[in-house]
Amino acid sequence: MRKWHRWLSVFFGVFMLWIAVTGVLSQVAVLWPSGAPDPAAQAAATPPPGFECPEGWRCLPPRGDTSGIRSMVGTFHHLHSGETFGPIGTTISVLSGLALVFFSISGIWLYVQMWRFRSDRKLAPRWFWK
């Protein structure tokens, strides 16, 4: 198990780093403060032509702020999911997700094996080894 864990981590480590960075960037872009007007000004704005708000609903106009880093959300999502690189990118993204599941399970498995080995040798129980 340790051999597989080591060899797969060499290959998938690069892709998982890519997925982690683009995922963080997509969230930062969404949470980035915008220069949108205050809610009272948005409520006073007129709806787009042809739009009718259903009766009993309070409708706000769509957010008009698509400048700056917020305009990159779609790009970050496509990079994150691998869609930018076509079917091969999507396949690598899915395989990287499956590899992450494998690393989680095999890492726990390896830790339990080390824990048992340590207790079988009657060594002091510790959470982490030096």
Side-chain angles (χ1 to χ4, degrees), residues 4-126:
W4 283 99
H5 193 92
R6 189 176 304 128
W7 280 105
L8 287 174
S9 67
V10 169
F11 178 74
F12 282 109
V14 175
F15 296 110
M16 291 195 318
L17 180 64
W18 175 267
I19 290 170
V21 168
T22 56
V24 167
L25 287 174
S26 68
Q27 293 302 315
V28 166
V30 169
L31 297 174
W32 197 264
S34 67
D38 62 326
Q42 282 184 345
T46 59
F51 176 78
E52 291 185 24
C53 188
E55 188 175 327
W57 287 52
R58 185 178 140 240
C59 297
L60 297 176
R63 215 177 208 175
D65 182 31
T66 56
S67 61
I69 195 167
R70 283 186 184 241
S71 66
M72 299 292 290
V73 172
T75 303
F76 291 143
H77 171 74
H78 287 291
L79 289 171
H80 178 72
S81 65
E83 295 173 28
T84 303
F85 306 107
I88 292 173
T90 305
T91 303
I92 289 174
S93 181
V94 169
L95 289 175
S96 297
L98 292 172
L100 185 58
V101 171
F102 169 76
F103 291 139
S104 299
I105 293 170
S106 65
I108 291 170
W109 180 265
L110 291 171
Y111 184 82
V112 167
Q113 282 182 335
M114 289 190 305
W115 183 270
R116 285 184 183 162
F117 179 73
R118 190 167 180 83
S119 67
D120 288 346
R121 291 180 44 207
K122 306 288 189 227
L123 297 172
R126 292 185 179 159

